[in-house]
Amino acid sequence: MKKIYILLVLAAFTTSSCENFLDTEPIQKIAIEQYYTDEAGLTSALAGVYDPLGQETLYGNQLFFNLEVCTDEGYYARNTQVSGASVYSFDATDANVSNMWYELYNGINRANDLIAHIDLPKMDQDKRQVILGEALFLRGYYYFLLVSKFGDVPLRLTPTTSPNQASLAKTPSAEIYAQILKDMTEAEAKVSPTKPLTASRIYKTVVQGILARVCLQMAGYPLMDTPKYADALAWSKKVIDSGQHQLNVSFKTTAPTGQPATYYNTFNPSIATNVSNNAYRQIFINAGEDAYDTNESMWEIEFTGNRTDGNVEGGRLGNDIGITFSPAATSPLVASMGHCYGFLKGTGKLFRSYDPTGNDLRRDWVLTTYTLNNSTGARAALAKTIQYGRDCAKWRREYETLTPKNKNYTTINYPVLRYADVLLMYAEAENQVNGPTPNAVEAVNKVRRRGYGQTNVSAPYPLSDAATTTAAASKASFQLFIEDERMRELCFEGTRRSDLIRWNKFVTTMNAVATDMAAAPTTGPLTSGNQQYGGLGGKNVSEKNVLYPIPSLEIASNTLMVQNKGW
């Protein structure tokens, strides 16, 4: 998708805040003021703060492909993979864990540098405050990713300008979270109050939505700061009350010029009653078609280019995860249909979490109902009874509009925050504070009605509403229902591992997945028909996996650092 960011200018002088491998003094120096001479320079610096989010180490690939691929939603789809983070068999030397750590601190250091020099340029004060707000939010967000994945981490709020500054002890998680709340709350008052046409810049309701997410994480395990449920409720309600967002309820039925009439209506050849497009599917079709919908998809990490047009900012959604399709490298199908490794398959638990009658239309989009022939591109229907081993199919390369398609990189944006998530966060927080109130029930019902194909999500719909009503009989049962609904709606969007941890269910749930996958069939029509290997990650999970290890390189270079428990 088209980049809104100005070219990065900070790379020449910023380093990760905890790196300690430089041992020489630069021969030449450039005065810091030269980078902040005007509004354009400050905006370019802000682009540098955003930039780490799209790197392959984070949302460009590794977060969803390797580091957090294994949950109760899905598993790494290679039966020969017996070690690595994707199956929870790794240690502190794992390169992906190290790269994530340093990229997050890289973003923090860039934010610290911008914040420290925010007043240098002569420019409009209102625009300066908007840029400051975005930088504060991003610093908070990078720390949120760090603390939720590593626990206690070093807190640095000033730029790292010398390798001699690298040694820094851990700060308790509660203090890290306090700083996150401070940064994001300040940002909420400074950033743009209205949503932009594109979804990659931070604005007011995005800050509010992420603050709700942060507060829910704080309210749960391990911090157990339960008063934060009320704060999560307040922040999510601000998004709802803003009136700037609503669930997408529209979808396309007319094929683009040059495409067959069935272009939007060939999703599920094995399910005769469920072949048409719907509003839920359209969210992810939009991602391939370069179409923005900030009403629903509030914040995305943006990717662009096919590496023949001068842009090298592609991501891996639809390529690493998607419907497996591996034509020969010389085949014209690569350029027209794209290539997909299919590294993520859905669990039987995910398949069974949906309405078994098929009325919940989401199941047959997020889990493929067909395979693709590598020679012809033709589809072959999967039997409706197959529970295990279906590819994650949320992002499908057939809808990418930029051609020729690159084999390994796509223009599909990563969805960090959708309005459906806000509604479910609101329902969970409301239930925790006030019980299963009508407002909480209605928030869940709106999400479910859209999932069942309704375009008027404010009108009662018995097929979807009945289960919600039953679950709302008690606070406890409604909480469990919301947990499952988050999986049904948000699967593969990067929230599940953190959700399971804050509910203090990660270890037990993953161990249960291992048991369930042991019951998977040993033969079948899918690649590597025996899907029992999908339980290896769940089998390997223990209490230490609630946090990642501090990278061994950091332990070696930071004399004040100590390793996380169990590693």
Side-chain angles (χ1 to χ4, degrees):
M1 291 189 173
K2 186 177 179 181
K3 278 282 184 186
I4 65 168
Y5 305 140
I6 297 177
L7 293 176
L8 172 64
V9 299
L10 288 185
F13 67 86
T14 55
T15 61
S16 299
S17 67
C18 287
E19 290 184 24
N20 194 27
F21 52 81
L22 296 177
D23 58 3
T24 59
E25 188 73 3
I27 297 173
Q28 295 180 340
K29 294 183 179 180
I30 301 176
I32 197 70
E33 288 82 0
Q34 291 179 245
Y35 291 95
Y36 298 105
T37 57
D38 53 21
E39 179 184 336
L42 201 63
T43 305
S44 295
L46 179 62
V49 183
Y50 275 95
D51 186 71
L53 291 169
Q55 296 302 307
E56 287 215 21
T57 300
L58 298 179
Y59 291 111
N61 192 23
Q62 291 301 331
L63 266 183
F64 63 82
F65 157 64
N66 189 307
L67 292 166
E68 303 196 351
V69 67
C70 187
T71 67
D72 59 338
E73 297 173 344
Y75 55 93
Y76 190 78
R78 293 295 183 271
N79 59 7
T80 57
Q81 187 75 27
V82 295
S83 63
S86 59
V87 292
Y88 295 105
S89 178
F90 65 105
D91 59 26
T93 65
D94 186 272
N96 291 315
V97 174
S98 297
N99 291 339
M100 173 173 62
W101 171 277
Y102 288 115
E103 199 65 70
L104 291 172
Y105 272 112
N106 186 25
I108 288 167
N109 197 55
R110 292 180 178 187
N112 285 341
D113 201 281
L114 188 153
I115 293 166
H117 300 96
I118 190 70
D119 292 323
L120 284 180
K122 293 181 180 180
M123 61 180 292
D124 180 88
Q125 287 298 320
D126 290 339
K127 293 181 179 179
R128 188 195 311 275
Q129 291 303 304
V130 169
I131 291 174
L132 175 58
E134 290 181 58
L136 284 167
F137 171 83
L138 289 169
R139 181 172 71 179
Y141 189 72
Y142 287 128
Y143 270 121
F144 176 55
L145 292 179
L146 274 165
V147 73
S148 60
K149 298 178 190 307
F150 292 95
D152 300 349
V153 295
L155 178 65
R156 190 184 295 280
L157 302 176
T158 57
T160 301
T161 58
S162 166
N164 296 325
Q165 297 174 276
S167 289
L168 194 64
K170 288 182 176 181
T171 299
S173 294
E175 294 181 32
I176 300 289
Y177 274 112
Q179 183 64 46
I180 293 167
L181 294 179
K182 181 177 183 297
D183 280 352
M184 290 189 177
T185 303
E186 289 183 22
E188 192 259 352
K190 296 178 183 294
V191 298
S192 173
T194 56
K195 66 179 188 288
L197 295 177
T198 58
S200 52
R201 287 285 292 269
I202 298 302
Y203 51 99
K204 196 178 191 73
T205 50
V206 168
V207 179
Q208 293 166 346
I210 296 298
L211 273 164
R213 182 179 291 176
V214 170
C215 290
L216 279 180
Q217 203 74 37
M218 295 177 70
Y221 182 83
L223 211 59
M224 303 303 291
D225 185 1
T226 55
K228 288 296 185 293
Y229 280 121
D231 294 338
L233 176 60
W235 286 118
S236 56
K237 191 173 187 300
K238 282 179 181 289
V239 179
I240 295 169
D241 291 347
S242 73
Q244 294 190 45
H245 302 282
Q246 51 269 333
L247 295 174
N248 174 61
V249 293
S250 64
F251 54 92
K252 297 178 181 179
T253 57
T254 303
T257 302
Q259 297 292 344
T262 56
Y263 186 72
Y264 290 118
N265 298 284
T266 57
F267 301 108
N268 301 289
S270 67
I271 304 173
T273 59
N274 188 12
V275 297
S276 300
N277 196 9
N278 62 57
Y280 182 76
R281 293 169 178 160
Q282 190 65 50
I283 299 167
F284 307 100
I285 294 174
N286 285 344
E289 292 189 329
D290 205 14
Y292 292 97
D293 177 17
T294 51
N295 291 331
E296 163 94 25
S297 193
M298 298 170 62
W299 183 27
E300 301 173 351
I301 307 303
E302 194 162 21
F303 298 102
T304 189
N306 61 4
R307 303 209 165 198
T308 64
D309 56 2
N311 291 305
V312 291
E313 294 287 339
R316 303 295 293 270
L317 281 182
N319 171 254
D320 272 344
I321 63 175
I323 301 176
T324 302
F325 185 53
S326 302
T330 56
S331 171
L333 292 173
V334 175
S336 62
M337 292 182 63
H339 179 280
C340 178
Y341 294 98
F343 280 130
L344 178 58
K345 291 185 180 294
T347 61
K349 176 182 178 179
L350 175 62
F351 183 90
R352 295 190 301 272
S353 73
Y354 294 99
D355 186 335
T357 65
N359 286 314
D360 188 336
L361 305 181
R362 294 173 295 185
R363 184 193 70 186
D364 299 322
W365 175 262
V366 303
L367 295 171
T368 189
T369 58
Y370 54 84
T371 58
L372 293 171
N373 184 288
N374 290 333
S375 298
T376 66
R379 301 177 182 187
L382 292 171
K384 289 188 288 185
T385 56
I386 295 176
Q387 296 183 17
Y388 299 89
R390 294 175 184 261
D391 286 337
C392 163
K394 252 186 176 175
W395 298 277
R396 307 188 183 196
R397 298 203 65 183
E398 61 196 283
Y399 297 105
E400 281 181 79
T401 55
L402 180 63
T403 56
K405 296 173 184 177
N406 183 278
K407 178 185 177 183
N408 291 330
Y409 293 92
T410 78
T411 61
I412 300 173
N413 287 4
Y414 191 96
V416 180
L417 180 66
R418 289 199 288 117
Y419 186 58
D421 190 359
V422 173
L423 289 174
L424 294 175
M425 289 192 291
Y426 168 82
E428 182 177 355
E430 171 74 356
N431 184 51
Q432 289 295 328
V433 175
N434 299 311
T437 64
N439 286 338
V441 171
E442 181 64 8
V444 175
N445 274 338
K446 285 181 177 179
V447 174
R448 287 177 56 76
R449 289 166 190 157
R450 196 260 304 273
Y452 277 65
Q454 300 305 292
T455 55
N456 182 357
V457 296
S458 296
Y461 185 61
L463 282 180
S464 62
D465 296 2
T468 318
T469 300
T470 300
S474 71
K475 177 180 177 179
S477 61
F478 195 51
Q479 172 65 29
L480 294 176
F481 190 76
I482 292 170
E483 292 175 11
D484 286 345
E485 191 61 32
R486 288 187 64 81
M487 178 169 63
R488 288 186 283 263
E489 175 70 22
L490 304 170
C491 57
F492 311 128
E493 295 181 43
T495 63
R496 191 61 177 176
R497 182 177 181 274
S498 294
D499 280 348
L500 290 173
I501 289 171
R502 68 183 176 85
W503 296 326
N504 200 15
K505 294 182 176 181
F506 177 65
V507 177
T508 55
T509 297
M510 292 306 300
N511 293 164
V513 166
T515 301
D516 181 69
M517 291 303 298
T522 56
T523 59
L526 297 166
T527 302
S528 301
N530 185 347
Q531 296 299 313
Q532 293 186 1
Y533 74 90
L536 179 60
K539 181 179 179 180
N540 288 336
V541 165
S542 64
E543 285 296 333
K544 74 175 186 178
N545 295 112
V546 170
L547 297 176
Y548 289 105
I550 305 299
S552 58
L553 179 62
E554 182 67 21
I555 296 290
S557 61
N558 183 349
T559 58
L560 300 177
M561 181 59 64
V562 294
Q563 186 55 271
N564 283 336
K565 184 179 179 181
W567 293 99

